[in-house]
Amino acid sequence: MRFGIVVADWNPEVTHALLAGAEATLRHHGVIAEDIVVKHVPGTFEITVAAQWLAEYDDLDGVICLGCVIQGETPHFTYICQGVTHGITELNLDYNIPFIFGILTTLNHLQALERAGGKHGNKGIEAAVTAIRMATLQREIEK
Ligand code: DLZ
């Protein structure tokens, strides 16, 4: 299998931990390094279009989207979360591969760290497992 990973560099101490978890999990399940295509974007809002470009220009079994949006004092949080959720949903319907929603949307920095290798695990690992499961399911169904 061959997977793309799009990771946002906003809140990098969180998102790069998600990336490490996702990459290690794919490798653990037998995906070779050359078949893991990692692309960085500035923030979570940019994830959707980069994921679309990967789907257009590469031959992938799925794209894992990793980001972290932390609530601030303005409604910006809501718009970014709505935008990326809608965008990834659309990609799932428009392309014949799964796009995995590995984006933390938390009320504060601590909640994010707890989900990027802390007491609530690493959601990058869960995203990678979900990608493998969905790609496997698609192969089963399309036979
Ligand atoms: C602008 C912004 C803010 C305020 N907060 C976050 C965040 O918590 N997480 C994140 O990934 N990105 C954030 N951004 C950046 C936007 O995602 C985007 O990069 C900019 O609005 C430029 O389009």
Side-chain angles (χ1 to χ4, degrees):
M1 287 186 174
R2 180 173 172 82
F3 290 99
I5 301 177
V6 180
V7 58
D9 289 335
W10 201 282
N11 300 311
E13 67 288 355
V14 175
T15 61
H16 294 180
L18 299 177
L19 174 62
E23 283 187 298
T25 302
L26 293 177
R27 296 298 307 278
H28 178 74
H29 286 86
V31 182
I32 61 172
E34 291 72 24
D35 284 332
I36 303 173
V37 182
V38 178
K39 298 296 174 191
H40 289 255
V41 293
T44 295
F45 192 76
E46 285 72 43
I47 288 176
T48 304
V49 70
Q52 179 175 318
W53 290 335
L54 274 180
E56 283 283 334
Y57 304 132
D58 206 325
D59 184 19
L60 300 170
D61 293 290
V63 180
I64 299 166
C65 302
L66 301 174
C68 170
V69 196
I70 300 175
Q71 189 164 30
E73 293 177 357
T74 71
H76 211 96
F77 168 87
T78 306
Y79 295 121
I80 295 173
C81 291
Q82 283 176 351
V84 73
T85 305
H86 182 71
I88 292 175
T89 302
E90 292 279 305
L91 290 176
N92 272 290
L93 299 176
D94 289 349
Y95 287 84
N96 206 26
I97 56 171
F99 294 79
I100 309 305
F101 190 89
I103 293 156
L104 300 180
T105 59
T106 64
L107 301 179
N108 55 53
H109 196 248
L110 178 60
Q111 285 183 344
L113 289 174
E114 287 173 346
R115 289 158 179 80
K119 70 177 183 184
H120 291 298
N122 184 323
K123 301 300 175 184
I125 294 174
E126 292 179 22
V129 170
T130 302
I132 293 168
R133 287 189 58 182
M134 290 303 290
T136 303
L137 178 64
Q138 184 183 24
R139 288 184 180 193
E140 282 173 24
I141 291 172
E142 75 183 359
K143 268 183 192 165

